[in-house]
Amino acid sequence: MIGTKVKNNGSSAGILAQVATRAQVSQGTVSRVFNNSELIPPKTRVRVLSAARELGFRPRVGVRNKQIALVTEPPQNTVMGGYVNTLTQYICFALSRCNAGVTMITEDRISALAESWFDGVIGIAWQEETIELLKELNLPVVWFCDDQAGRFHTVYSDACETGRFVGNYLIGKGHRKIAVIHQVDYTGCNRLAGVRQAMREAGIDPERMLLDLTDAGSLHLAVKQLIDAGCTAVWVPGEDMNAIKVGWLIQELAGKRIPEDISLLGSENPGISEFQRPALSTVAAPLREMAELAVEIVMKDEHAVLQKIEMPVRLIERNSVANLE
C-alpha cells in the first residue's frame, strides 16, 4: 500500500483518489509523487504533497525509513563550534542511530520544504517566513525556543532564567556595574530581563548599574561604551563568536586586561572557548541532550499534544571572570 491516513485506514486506491481530486491531478501523478519520481514538475509535486498533508495522509512508514527535515540558518551565518553547528551535529548523529533519513534545508531555500515528503521537522531557525511555512504543515515540528511553544514542540533553555542565573553569578563575584551585549530578538531581550531581575532582587538599581547594549551595531562602539561607563563585567550571550570578538577588542584595541580590568562571560563554543587567552568562562546549554530529546519527540510522530521541555543551563567557570569580593 502506498499510503495511509493518520486517522482512518483507507485503501490505496481510495487514498490516491482523494489526494488526486484535491490536487486536481491524476491518480498516476499522485502515485509517482509518493514514489519520488523525478518526472513530476516541482509545482505539481508541491500541490500533491500539500493536498496529502491537508487530508492527513503520508506515505506508509512501514516500507521505508522516516524522513526528517532539519531546518537551519544558511551556512554563512553559522560558526564552527557554535550553537547551531554543534546542535546540528548532535541532531544528525541522533537521527542516524534511529535509521532515519535527514535532509538539511537552510532558511534561504525554505520553499524546498514543501517540495518533498517529510515525516517531521526539527528547526534551528528564526525567520518569520520559516515559522509561517511550518505552521501550515500537518507535521510534528520541534523548535528550540519557547516563543513558539503554542505552535510546535519546544525543547529550550529559558532565556529569562538564564539571565537571572548569570546576574546572580556576577553579583556573587562582587560585580555591580554590569554590561550585557545581547541580540535584539526574543531570546536576547529575555536574557537581559533576567539580569535586570537578578539585580533588583539583590537591591541593585538596574536603571543605573546595568548597561544595555546590542550586537546590532558596532562591537567597537559597544566596548568603548562599557569601558567609559566603568563596567567591571560584561556578558555577551548568543550563539556566535561575539564574546571572543569582544574579548579581543577589550585587550588588543582598548589595552585592558581580562579579568583584572574587565570580566568577560560568554556562551560556550565547544573546542573554542577554552582555548582563548584567558580561557573564557561561559554559560552552556545541554546541546547533546536537547538534540536527543528533539529527535525522540519528532520520531514519535505526535503533534496533537505539544510538548514543552525546559533544559537548564550550566556555568563553565574558567579564567575570564574576576572575584571582586
Side-chain angles (χ1 to χ4, degrees):
M1 189 179 293
I2 294 174
T4 183
K5 190 172 182 180
V6 173
K7 295 183 179 179
N8 298 308
N9 292 322
S11 68
S12 176
I15 290 169
L16 294 179
Q18 291 182 59
V19 175
T21 298
R22 193 175 190 91
Q24 298 182 327
V25 297
S26 70
Q27 293 185 37
T29 296
V30 174
S31 178
R32 284 188 284 273
V33 170
F34 278 6
N35 287 285
N36 292 321
S37 170
E38 297 181 356
L39 301 176
I40 304 300
K43 289 185 178 179
T44 303
R45 181 183 300 277
V46 170
R47 194 161 74 248
V48 170
L49 293 178
S50 296
R53 290 191 183 99
E54 290 168 5
L55 291 168
F57 297 128
R58 60 178 173 80
R60 185 175 291 280
V61 176
V63 296
R64 63 173 178 81
N65 295 336
K66 284 195 173 184
Q67 301 298 314
I68 306 300
L70 175 55
V71 179
T72 184
E73 60 186 13
Q76 63 267 24
N77 295 345
T78 63
V79 176
M80 186 63 66
Y83 174 91
V84 173
N85 185 274
T86 303
L87 192 54
T88 296
Q89 292 182 55
Y90 285 143
I91 290 169
C92 290
F93 179 67
L95 285 170
S96 70
R97 290 190 301 176
C98 299
N99 293 319
V102 57
T103 299
M104 291 187 63
I105 298 177
T106 55
E107 289 188 283
D108 56 345
R109 60 182 191 92
I110 192 62
S111 60
L113 189 61
E115 297 174 4
S116 299
W117 189 274
F118 295 105
D119 298 290
V121 178
I122 297 176
I124 320 173
W126 293 270
Q127 293 180 10
E128 192 61 34
E129 180 185 356
T130 301
I131 295 170
E132 291 303 314
L133 178 59
L134 291 176
K135 283 163 53 181
E136 296 175 1
L137 301 179
N138 185 30
L139 291 172
V141 177
V142 183
W143 206 249
F144 290 99
C145 180
D146 65 328
D147 63 335
Q148 301 299 322
R151 297 169 175 169
F152 311 136
H153 299 291
T154 49
V155 179
Y156 71 104
S157 293
D158 187 283
C160 188
E161 281 303 308
T162 299
R164 185 166 173 263
F165 171 76
V166 167
N168 287 330
Y169 168 69
L170 293 176
I171 292 167
K173 289 285 189 178
H175 297 278
R176 298 296 180 268
K177 186 70 173 181
I178 299 169
V180 179
I181 304 177
H182 63 92
Q183 295 165 311
V184 287
D185 58 10
Y186 172 88
T187 301
C189 292
N190 274 282
R191 286 169 174 154
L192 178 71
V195 176
R196 185 176 285 116
Q197 180 182 347
M199 296 181 78
R200 288 199 187 100
E201 291 171 350
I204 302 169
D205 182 6
E207 301 306 319
R208 293 191 306 109
M209 304 301 284
L210 176 62
L211 185 60
D212 174 5
L213 302 169
T214 74
D215 64 1
S218 166
L219 287 179
H220 293 73
L221 179 59
V223 168
K224 181 180 186 303
Q225 288 176 311
L226 70 90
I227 291 174
D228 291 345
C231 295
T232 62
V234 54
W235 178 35
V236 190
E239 286 66 60
D240 54 22
M241 300 287 280
N242 277 355
I244 294 171
K245 294 176 184 176
V246 167
W248 185 86
L249 289 169
I250 289 173
Q251 295 181 106
E252 301 301 324
L253 288 190
K256 301 292 184 179
R257 298 169 300 166
I258 298 174
E260 292 85 355
D261 299 320
I262 300 174
S263 291
L264 174 62
L265 185 68
S267 292
E268 181 68 6
N269 285 304
I272 297 177
S273 301
E274 63 264 41
F275 295 111
Q276 301 307 300
R277 291 293 177 267
L280 185 63
S281 294
T282 61
V283 176
L287 299 185
R288 182 190 295 273
E289 293 83 356
M290 291 171 71
E292 291 174 349
L293 271 172
V295 169
E296 180 182 333
I297 291 169
V298 81
M299 292 297 288
K300 286 180 179 177
D301 196 18
E302 173 60 59
H303 52 286
V305 179
L306 296 178
Q307 295 193 50
K308 182 179 180 182
I309 303 174
E310 181 181 345
M311 305 291 286
V313 298
R314 64 188 177 95
L315 176 71
I316 300 178
E317 195 164 22
R318 297 190 179 101
N319 303 320
S320 64
V321 176
N323 189 346
L324 303 184
E325 293 286 77

